[in-house]
């Protein structure tokens, strides 16, 4: 078969509805008789709830109902952990509404249902909640002293602690000729999809429909079913169009229980659209990690061992991502290097801040920053070039697959394939590393220039399974129903490319449907760069099965062997005469399938469902390199050149892979230089709007060069793909921090915490 | 508590007359009352640009205006950009350059770019970046958007 679509930079099938304003985002869903929700949220970081008086609010015309904890008490159960569970986390989970205590600014205390959002917000103004404020804990080290306990039942603020290790760490430090110990901190920030969270829920004739679902609709349906005590098969989660995911959107939050609860209770559709100010205090934060790390090396730069303690600031409750952020920081802290001995303690620490979940490359952005910074410091101490130090320690292609040992609580980390030195070489070539000597200098304007590099490896494509269902109609149209969801990744195009090639049809004949729990009974969803690895291979597998069925139907009809036939561009040809004439069309075969006795599988729709299973992860890898110039007067950092190199095994659509890399890098550059969810000592968020929380704009993001490699296809799936969603962001913190530290080294500056904002630089330079 | 006013305005060439609460924002009016849901709300406080529309030819943030302030105005939203099934050159260039991923920022950016290109012939890349710096896109990293706008200016040039 001539391969036509996989690997081609095809423009997107889905674009037109977005370009013309005809897309259907959550807030675009409008139902007759629809009511609107608004939330009473705690203004205190830590307080006891003494009383809630809703009388005045209920008297406002248009206010339909107000629900507090008492109203949900019969059903109240904590929201379960979806990923990285640990038994000790259980007493720290969040209930949909605060019962007797609030634990962060933004903690939901009541839900108001009104005729309009305007009236709902009027009600918020007059609902009188009496609080008894308690001391707020906003710092990891304060929290660990357990002087103020945030959750009384467990009686500690340490929600989890465990140690992972591999090799003999004590021996490594005994053998060391050089050691260095440092403390690093990554900044609390978050993904901020441009569309805030939102949903419309209708309860009609005993069926519950939730529009605005995304990411993991099947999982969330199961959770809602258990929380509402309502049968799953009577619930329908519908995705529609989604304005960005980045980890934060689509997890099960308190509102995901409360809005359906209100719709059922009132028997009317309810819409809730989060506003941006709510989003910044209510939706997951991420990246807030503190790490003490020590490295043991030989004088020649060979790594002997790394030991570390990772502390994750989890906020007021453990949310659906469980221990993921600190656990993933520990999981890949050793990176793409030969590290014979590794030991890391993981700590989940509760504070009076918004709960933590994932942001694109969770834990990996953090660990890359920590490790790559430390390597640069070590290189300087040992007088070795930073690139040379990395080449010396990188895992070699001949070592693949490589078992890095037990770096996670749930098992070993095994790198599937890769040419890690090649990934670094490409980045160095692109930035002109060899020719740039020295690697730091001061220009005529007094600006300090420096080159920074970082390498990374990133797990992608989490199992255990993903599904796809294919239906071919009598018109020859191919409908593909996915278990994955889409938040801007372009699956309506990439999955059609995979289907067209795997089945042997034209891409125009293929339509992709996604994000509806009625489409397919099971679906894992889209997160952690799993869409193409899991969803793509499910489509491929379903196509293989479908092709077999088609050839069998055709061969029975044509009275020949399936092996004598080929399916190409949607038609059946006799092998060897693919130029024509075609013997049967796909539509004719779909009609044949309906004839009783046409096939041993029985008659009926030409349809098949397949699940692709995976119990191992695929690992994308690569390097970033940057050239920066820092103005010591103003602290302003200019990124003169930024390079992202990522090997994803095989690119289904290079145009879109580059889009992921460049978009991810832009997010990471913004996060590294600008973004921080700053809290004051009383637990008030000081960066609670886009005026104070700065997202990168077109003048902040430099041109980014993206190089996509296909050197090392994954041996773990038939398409050979690895996830492409996170390589652009993962090394941004590390690379920029290394570049700035290199540039400012003559002034004695070494970056050990993020963000590297102009004021932070100014502060470092003045001290 | 809520008073209402009658307003008359033109949106994408079509005349409307409507009784609106005085406190209703223009974007809520367009989306909720006129069902023109192509204009989006990303922040509701004037920073992200997702709600950008043209008011009497000038790009404005419809989350920062009240519907009553648009009385008598001539508005254009993203729904008015294409001529029937024929996409506007900007829309085609956005698609060609993969200048949208989730597409949530796209309507606001298209309207900003429309005004920008009308007022700036043969812009430099820097001018384009400056011109769209009031619109946040979380997905694309801006480069393909900048390229799409430059493409259109060159086509027209
Ligand atoms: S919604 Fe108007 S500027 Fe963000
Ligand atoms: S395409 Fe998603 S915000 Fe711009």
């Amino acid at each position: 078969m001539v391969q036509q679509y996989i690997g081609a930079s095809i423009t997107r099938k889905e674009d037109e509805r977005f370009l013309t304003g005809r897309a259907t985002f959550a807030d675009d869903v409008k139902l007759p008789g629809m009511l609107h929700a608004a939330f009473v949220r705690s203004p205190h970081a830590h307080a006891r709830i003494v009383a809630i008086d809703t009388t005045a609010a209920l008297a406002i015309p248009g206010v339909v109902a107000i629900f507090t904890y008492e109203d949900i008490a019969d059903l109240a159960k904590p929201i379960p952990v979806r990923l990285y569970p640990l038994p000790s986390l259980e007493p720290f989970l969040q209930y949909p509404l605060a019962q007797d205590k609030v634990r962060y600014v933004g903690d939901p205390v009541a839900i108001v249902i009104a005729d309009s959002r305007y009236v709902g917000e009027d009600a918020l103004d007059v609902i009188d909640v009496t609080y008894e404020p308690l001391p707020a804990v906003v710092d990891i080290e304060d929290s660990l002293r357990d002087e103020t306990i945030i959750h009384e039942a467990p009686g500690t603020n340490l929600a989890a602690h465990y140690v992972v290790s591999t090799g003999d760490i004590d021996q490594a430090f005994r053998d060391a000729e050089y050691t260095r110990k440092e403390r690093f901190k990554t900044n609390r920030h978050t993904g901020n999809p441009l569309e805030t969270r939102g949903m419309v829920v209708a309860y009609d004739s005993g069926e519950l429909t939730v529009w605005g679902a995304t990411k993991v609709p099947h999982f969330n349906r199961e959770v809602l079913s258990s929380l509402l005590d309502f049968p799953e098969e009577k619930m329908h989660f519908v995705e529609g169009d989604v304005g960005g995911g980045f980890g934060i959107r689509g997890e099960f939050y308190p509102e995901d229980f409360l809005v359906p609860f209100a719709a059922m209770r009132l028997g009317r559709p309810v819409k809730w659209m989060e506003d941006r100010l709510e989003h910044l205090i209510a939706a997951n934060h991420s990246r807030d990690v503190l790490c003490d790390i020590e490295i043991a090396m030989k004088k020649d730069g060979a790594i002997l061992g790394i030991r570390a303690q990772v502390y994750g600031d989890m906020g007021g409750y453990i949310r659906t991502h469980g221990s993921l952020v600190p656990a993933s920081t520990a999981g890949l802290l050793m990176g793409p290097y030969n590290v014979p001995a590794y030991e890391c303690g993981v700590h989940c620490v509760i504070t009076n801040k918004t709960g933590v979940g994932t942001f694109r490359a969770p834990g990996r952005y953090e660990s890359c920053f920590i490790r790559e910074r430390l390597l640069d410091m070590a290189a300087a101490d040992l007088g070795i070039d930073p690139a040379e130090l990395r080449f010396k320690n990188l895992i070699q292609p001949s070592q693949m697959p490589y078992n890095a040992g037990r770096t996670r609580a749930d098992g070993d980390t095994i790198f599937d394939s890769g040419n890690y030195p090649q990934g670094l070489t490409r980045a160095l070539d692109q930035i002109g590393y060899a020719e740039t000597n020295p690697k730091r200098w001061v220009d005529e304007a007094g600006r300090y220039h420096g080159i920074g590099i970082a390498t990374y490896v990133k797990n992608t494509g989490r199992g255990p399974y993903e599904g796809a269902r294919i239906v071919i109609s009598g018109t020859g149209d191919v409908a593909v129903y996915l278990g994955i969801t889409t938040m801007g990744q372009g699956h309506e195009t990439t999955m059609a490319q995979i289907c067209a090639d795997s089945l042997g049809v034209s891409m125009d004949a293929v339509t992709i449907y996604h994000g509806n729990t009625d489409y397919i009974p099971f679906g894992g969803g889209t997160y952690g760069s799993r869409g193409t690895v899991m969803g793509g291979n499910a489509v491929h597998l379903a196509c293989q099965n479908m092709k077999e069925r088609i050839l069998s139907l055709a061969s029975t009809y044509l009275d020949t062997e399936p092996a004598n036939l080929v399916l190409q561009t949607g038609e059946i040809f006799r092998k060897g005469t693919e130029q024509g004439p075609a013997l049967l069309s796909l539509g004719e075969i779909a009609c044949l399938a309906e004839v009783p006795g046409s096939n041993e599988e029985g008659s009926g729709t030409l349809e098949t469902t397949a699940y692709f299973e995976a119990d191992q992860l695929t690992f994308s890898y690569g390097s970033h390199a940057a050239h920066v110039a820092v103005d010591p007067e103003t602290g302003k950092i200019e990124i003169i050149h930024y390079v992202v190199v990522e090997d994803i095994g095989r690119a289904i659509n290079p145009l879109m892979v580059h889009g992921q890399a460049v978009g991810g890098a832009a997010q990471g550059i913004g996060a590294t230089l600008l973004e921080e969810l700053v809290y004051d000592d009383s637990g008030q968020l000081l960066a609670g709007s886009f005026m104070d929380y700065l997202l990168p704009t077109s003048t902040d993001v430099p041109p980014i060069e993206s190089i996509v490699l296909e050197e090392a296809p994954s041996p773990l799936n038939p398409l050979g793909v690895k996830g492409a969603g996170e390589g652009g962001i993962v090394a941004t913190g590390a690379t920029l921090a290394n570049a700035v530290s290199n540039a400012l080294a003559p002034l004695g500056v070494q970056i050990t915490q993020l963000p590297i904002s102009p004021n932070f630089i100014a502060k470092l330079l003045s001290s | 508590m809520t008073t209402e006013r009658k307003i008359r305005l033109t949106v994408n060439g079509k005349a409307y007359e409507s009784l609106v609460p005085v406190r209703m924002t223009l974007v809520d009016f367009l989306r909720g009352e006129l069902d023109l849901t192509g204009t989006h709300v990303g922040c509701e406080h004037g920073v992200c640009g997702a709600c950008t529309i043209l008011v009497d030819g000038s790009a404005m943030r419809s989350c920062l205006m009240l519907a009553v302030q648009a009385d008598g105005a001539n508005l254009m939203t993203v729904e008015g950009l294409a001529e029937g099934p024929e996409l506007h050159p900007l829309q085609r260039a956005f698609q060609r350059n993969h200048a949208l991923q989730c597409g949530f920022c796209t309507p606001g950016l298209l309207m900003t770019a429309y005004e920008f290109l009308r007022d700036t012939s043969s812009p430099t890349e820097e001018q384009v970046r400056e011109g769209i710096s009031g619109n946040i896109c979380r997905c694309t990293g801006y480069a393909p958007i900048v390229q799409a706008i430059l493409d259109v200016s060159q086509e027209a040039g």
Side-chain angles (χ1 to χ4, degrees), chain A residues 194 690, chain B residues 27 40-52 61-64 134:
Chain A
L194 198 57
F690 279 176
Chain B
V27 69
H40 295 153
V41 178
C43 72
E44 237 181 327
H45 55 271
V47 181
C48 77
C51 64
T52 306
R61 300 185 170 219
S62 57
C63 73
L64 290 185

PDB file of all heavy atoms in Angstrom, chain A residues 194 690, chain B residues 27 40-52 61-64 134, ligand 1:
ATOM      1  N   LEU A 194      -7.230  29.173  27.876  1.00  0.00           N
ATOM      2  CA  LEU A 194      -7.911  30.454  27.655  1.00  0.00           C
ATOM      3  C   LEU A 194      -9.412  30.359  27.945  1.00  0.00           C
ATOM      4  O   LEU A 194     -10.033  31.325  28.378  1.00  0.00           O
ATOM      5  CB  LEU A 194      -7.662  30.964  26.231  1.00  0.00           C
ATOM      6  CG  LEU A 194      -7.962  32.452  26.060  1.00  0.00           C
ATOM      7  CD1 LEU A 194      -7.157  33.306  27.021  1.00  0.00           C
ATOM      8  CD2 LEU A 194      -7.702  32.895  24.642  1.00  0.00           C
ATOM      9  N   PHE A 690      -5.397  38.501  35.715  1.00  0.00           N
ATOM     10  CA  PHE A 690      -4.405  38.603  34.642  1.00  0.00           C
ATOM     11  C   PHE A 690      -3.638  39.932  34.679  1.00  0.00           C
ATOM     12  O   PHE A 690      -2.708  40.133  33.908  1.00  0.00           O
ATOM     13  CB  PHE A 690      -5.080  38.428  33.279  1.00  0.00           C
ATOM     14  CG  PHE A 690      -5.332  36.988  32.908  1.00  0.00           C
ATOM     15  CD1 PHE A 690      -6.019  36.667  31.740  1.00  0.00           C
ATOM     16  CD2 PHE A 690      -4.886  35.943  33.713  1.00  0.00           C
ATOM     17  CE1 PHE A 690      -6.248  35.344  31.386  1.00  0.00           C
ATOM     18  CE2 PHE A 690      -5.103  34.623  33.372  1.00  0.00           C
ATOM     19  CZ  PHE A 690      -5.796  34.312  32.196  1.00  0.00           C
TER      20      PHE A 690
ATOM     21  N   VAL B  27     -20.466  41.776  25.562  1.00  0.00           N
ATOM     22  CA  VAL B  27     -20.179  40.394  25.143  1.00  0.00           C
ATOM     23  C   VAL B  27     -21.306  39.457  25.586  1.00  0.00           C
ATOM     24  O   VAL B  27     -21.707  38.561  24.840  1.00  0.00           O
ATOM     25  CB  VAL B  27     -18.785  39.912  25.634  1.00  0.00           C
ATOM     26  CG1 VAL B  27     -18.701  39.723  27.133  1.00  0.00           C
ATOM     27  CG2 VAL B  27     -18.428  38.596  24.928  1.00  0.00           C
ATOM     28  N   HIS B  40     -15.659  35.330  22.321  1.00  0.00           N
ATOM     29  CA  HIS B  40     -15.442  34.535  23.547  1.00  0.00           C
ATOM     30  C   HIS B  40     -15.058  35.388  24.753  1.00  0.00           C
ATOM     31  O   HIS B  40     -14.610  36.517  24.599  1.00  0.00           O
ATOM     32  CB  HIS B  40     -14.342  33.506  23.298  1.00  0.00           C
ATOM     33  CG  HIS B  40     -14.721  32.489  22.264  1.00  0.00           C
ATOM     34  ND1 HIS B  40     -13.796  31.828  21.489  1.00  0.00           N
ATOM     35  CD2 HIS B  40     -15.934  32.030  21.871  1.00  0.00           C
ATOM     36  CE1 HIS B  40     -14.425  31.002  20.665  1.00  0.00           C
ATOM     37  NE2 HIS B  40     -15.724  31.108  20.875  1.00  0.00           N
ATOM     38  N   VAL B  41     -15.212  34.779  25.910  1.00  0.00           N
ATOM     39  CA  VAL B  41     -14.823  35.430  27.156  1.00  0.00           C
ATOM     40  C   VAL B  41     -13.694  34.620  27.782  1.00  0.00           C
ATOM     41  O   VAL B  41     -13.881  33.459  28.120  1.00  0.00           O
ATOM     42  CB  VAL B  41     -16.011  35.476  28.140  1.00  0.00           C
ATOM     43  CG1 VAL B  41     -15.569  36.105  29.460  1.00  0.00           C
ATOM     44  CG2 VAL B  41     -17.160  36.262  27.543  1.00  0.00           C
ATOM     45  N   GLY B  42     -12.531  35.237  27.901  1.00  0.00           N
ATOM     46  CA  GLY B  42     -11.406  34.519  28.492  1.00  0.00           C
ATOM     47  C   GLY B  42     -11.026  35.040  29.854  1.00  0.00           C
ATOM     48  O   GLY B  42     -10.427  34.327  30.651  1.00  0.00           O
ATOM     49  N   CYS B  43     -11.335  36.300  30.132  1.00  0.00           N
ATOM     50  CA  CYS B  43     -10.907  36.849  31.429  1.00  0.00           C
ATOM     51  C   CYS B  43     -11.950  37.778  32.029  1.00  0.00           C
ATOM     52  O   CYS B  43     -11.986  37.965  33.225  1.00  0.00           O
ATOM     53  CB  CYS B  43      -9.580  37.582  31.287  1.00  0.00           C
ATOM     54  SG  CYS B  43      -9.693  39.150  30.411  1.00  0.00           S
ATOM     55  N   GLU B  44     -12.743  38.413  31.221  1.00  0.00           N
ATOM     56  CA  GLU B  44     -13.760  39.342  31.686  1.00  0.00           C
ATOM     57  C   GLU B  44     -13.175  40.546  32.403  1.00  0.00           C
ATOM     58  O   GLU B  44     -13.876  41.244  33.113  1.00  0.00           O
ATOM     59  CB  GLU B  44     -14.743  38.615  32.633  1.00  0.00           C
ATOM     60  CG  GLU B  44     -16.182  38.695  32.179  1.00  0.00           C
ATOM     61  CD  GLU B  44     -17.118  37.992  33.141  1.00  0.00           C
ATOM     62  OE1 GLU B  44     -16.707  36.995  33.745  1.00  0.00           O
ATOM     63  OE2 GLU B  44     -18.256  38.470  33.277  1.00  0.00           O
ATOM     64  N   HIS B  45     -11.847  40.753  32.265  1.00  0.00           N
ATOM     65  CA  HIS B  45     -11.316  41.995  32.824  1.00  0.00           C
ATOM     66  C   HIS B  45     -10.321  42.689  31.899  1.00  0.00           C
ATOM     67  O   HIS B  45      -9.396  43.347  32.344  1.00  0.00           O
ATOM     68  CB  HIS B  45     -10.797  41.827  34.257  1.00  0.00           C
ATOM     69  CG  HIS B  45      -9.760  40.742  34.456  1.00  0.00           C
ATOM     70  ND1 HIS B  45     -10.101  39.440  34.738  1.00  0.00           N
ATOM     71  CD2 HIS B  45      -8.413  40.779  34.445  1.00  0.00           C
ATOM     72  CE1 HIS B  45      -8.999  38.723  34.893  1.00  0.00           C
ATOM     73  NE2 HIS B  45      -7.957  39.501  34.710  1.00  0.00           N
ATOM     74  N   GLY B  46     -10.572  42.499  30.602  1.00  0.00           N
ATOM     75  CA  GLY B  46      -9.873  43.362  29.660  1.00  0.00           C
ATOM     76  C   GLY B  46      -8.437  43.023  29.328  1.00  0.00           C
ATOM     77  O   GLY B  46      -7.747  43.841  28.730  1.00  0.00           O
ATOM     78  N   VAL B  47      -7.964  41.834  29.680  1.00  0.00           N
ATOM     79  CA  VAL B  47      -6.561  41.531  29.433  1.00  0.00           C
ATOM     80  C   VAL B  47      -6.340  40.581  28.260  1.00  0.00           C
ATOM     81  O   VAL B  47      -5.393  40.733  27.492  1.00  0.00           O
ATOM     82  CB  VAL B  47      -5.883  40.956  30.707  1.00  0.00           C
ATOM     83  CG1 VAL B  47      -4.410  40.652  30.453  1.00  0.00           C
ATOM     84  CG2 VAL B  47      -6.025  41.923  31.875  1.00  0.00           C
ATOM     85  N   CYS B  48      -7.207  39.590  28.077  1.00  0.00           N
ATOM     86  CA  CYS B  48      -6.870  38.489  27.168  1.00  0.00           C
ATOM     87  C   CYS B  48      -7.222  38.743  25.713  1.00  0.00           C
ATOM     88  O   CYS B  48      -6.664  38.111  24.820  1.00  0.00           O
ATOM     89  CB  CYS B  48      -7.517  37.199  27.644  1.00  0.00           C
ATOM     90  SG  CYS B  48      -9.284  37.090  27.285  1.00  0.00           S
ATOM     91  N   GLY B  49      -8.171  39.620  25.443  1.00  0.00           N
ATOM     92  CA  GLY B  49      -8.511  39.935  24.056  1.00  0.00           C
ATOM     93  C   GLY B  49      -9.420  38.931  23.360  1.00  0.00           C
ATOM     94  O   GLY B  49      -9.751  39.124  22.189  1.00  0.00           O
ATOM     95  N   ALA B  50      -9.854  37.883  24.044  1.00  0.00           N
ATOM     96  CA  ALA B  50     -10.708  36.871  23.400  1.00  0.00           C
ATOM     97  C   ALA B  50     -12.041  37.466  22.951  1.00  0.00           C
ATOM     98  O   ALA B  50     -12.693  36.954  22.048  1.00  0.00           O
ATOM     99  CB  ALA B  50     -10.946  35.706  24.361  1.00  0.00           C
ATOM    100  N   CYS B  51     -12.443  38.558  23.584  1.00  0.00           N
ATOM    101  CA  CYS B  51     -13.763  39.141  23.321  1.00  0.00           C
ATOM    102  C   CYS B  51     -13.702  40.277  22.309  1.00  0.00           C
ATOM    103  O   CYS B  51     -14.665  41.030  22.162  1.00  0.00           O
ATOM    104  CB  CYS B  51     -14.326  39.669  24.635  1.00  0.00           C
ATOM    105  SG  CYS B  51     -13.314  41.014  25.295  1.00  0.00           S
ATOM    106  N   THR B  52     -12.560  40.406  21.626  1.00  0.00           N
ATOM    107  CA  THR B  52     -12.370  41.550  20.729  1.00  0.00           C
ATOM    108  C   THR B  52     -13.349  41.546  19.547  1.00  0.00           C
ATOM    109  O   THR B  52     -13.494  40.548  18.856  1.00  0.00           O
ATOM    110  CB  THR B  52     -10.921  41.572  20.188  1.00  0.00           C
ATOM    111  OG1 THR B  52     -10.036  41.536  21.293  1.00  0.00           O
ATOM    112  CG2 THR B  52     -10.661  42.820  19.343  1.00  0.00           C
ATOM    113  N   ARG B  61     -12.726  45.665  23.374  1.00  0.00           N
ATOM    114  CA  ARG B  61     -12.959  44.494  24.229  1.00  0.00           C
ATOM    115  C   ARG B  61     -14.405  44.530  24.678  1.00  0.00           C
ATOM    116  O   ARG B  61     -14.790  45.375  25.471  1.00  0.00           O
ATOM    117  CB  ARG B  61     -12.038  44.559  25.426  1.00  0.00           C
ATOM    118  CG  ARG B  61     -10.683  44.573  24.880  1.00  0.00           C
ATOM    119  CD  ARG B  61      -9.526  44.528  25.709  1.00  0.00           C
ATOM    120  NE  ARG B  61      -8.500  44.306  24.698  1.00  0.00           N
ATOM    121  CZ  ARG B  61      -7.463  43.518  24.822  1.00  0.00           C
ATOM    122  NH1 ARG B  61      -7.254  42.903  25.943  1.00  0.00           N
ATOM    123  NH2 ARG B  61      -6.638  43.345  23.839  1.00  0.00           N
ATOM    124  N   SER B  62     -15.170  43.598  24.159  1.00  0.00           N
ATOM    125  CA  SER B  62     -16.606  43.660  24.439  1.00  0.00           C
ATOM    126  C   SER B  62     -16.929  43.241  25.874  1.00  0.00           C
ATOM    127  O   SER B  62     -18.059  43.384  26.313  1.00  0.00           O
ATOM    128  CB  SER B  62     -17.387  42.823  23.432  1.00  0.00           C
ATOM    129  OG  SER B  62     -16.947  41.489  23.435  1.00  0.00           O
ATOM    130  N   CYS B  63     -15.932  42.746  26.633  1.00  0.00           N
ATOM    131  CA  CYS B  63     -16.201  42.444  28.048  1.00  0.00           C
ATOM    132  C   CYS B  63     -16.107  43.708  28.890  1.00  0.00           C
ATOM    133  O   CYS B  63     -16.552  43.730  30.026  1.00  0.00           O
ATOM    134  CB  CYS B  63     -15.228  41.393  28.584  1.00  0.00           C
ATOM    135  SG  CYS B  63     -13.548  41.990  28.857  1.00  0.00           S
ATOM    136  N   LEU B  64     -15.486  44.738  28.334  1.00  0.00           N
ATOM    137  CA  LEU B  64     -15.316  45.975  29.105  1.00  0.00           C
ATOM    138  C   LEU B  64     -16.363  47.024  28.743  1.00  0.00           C
ATOM    139  O   LEU B  64     -16.322  48.135  29.234  1.00  0.00           O
ATOM    140  CB  LEU B  64     -13.914  46.563  28.865  1.00  0.00           C
ATOM    141  CG  LEU B  64     -12.738  45.793  29.449  1.00  0.00           C
ATOM    142  CD1 LEU B  64     -11.441  46.567  29.232  1.00  0.00           C
ATOM    143  CD2 LEU B  64     -12.916  45.486  30.925  1.00  0.00           C
ATOM    144  N   GLY B 134      -1.976  42.463  22.619  1.00  0.00           N
ATOM    145  CA  GLY B 134      -3.069  42.524  23.590  1.00  0.00           C
ATOM    146  C   GLY B 134      -3.970  41.303  23.532  1.00  0.00           C
ATOM    147  O   GLY B 134      -5.030  41.279  24.170  1.00  0.00           O
TER     148      GLY B 134
HETATM  149  S1  LIG C   1     -12.618  38.539  27.927  1.00  0.00           S
HETATM  150 FE1  LIG C   1     -12.448  40.572  27.341  1.00  0.00          FE
HETATM  151  S2  LIG C   1     -10.347  40.906  27.399  1.00  0.00           S
HETATM  152 FE2  LIG C   1     -10.513  38.905  28.213  1.00  0.00          FE
END
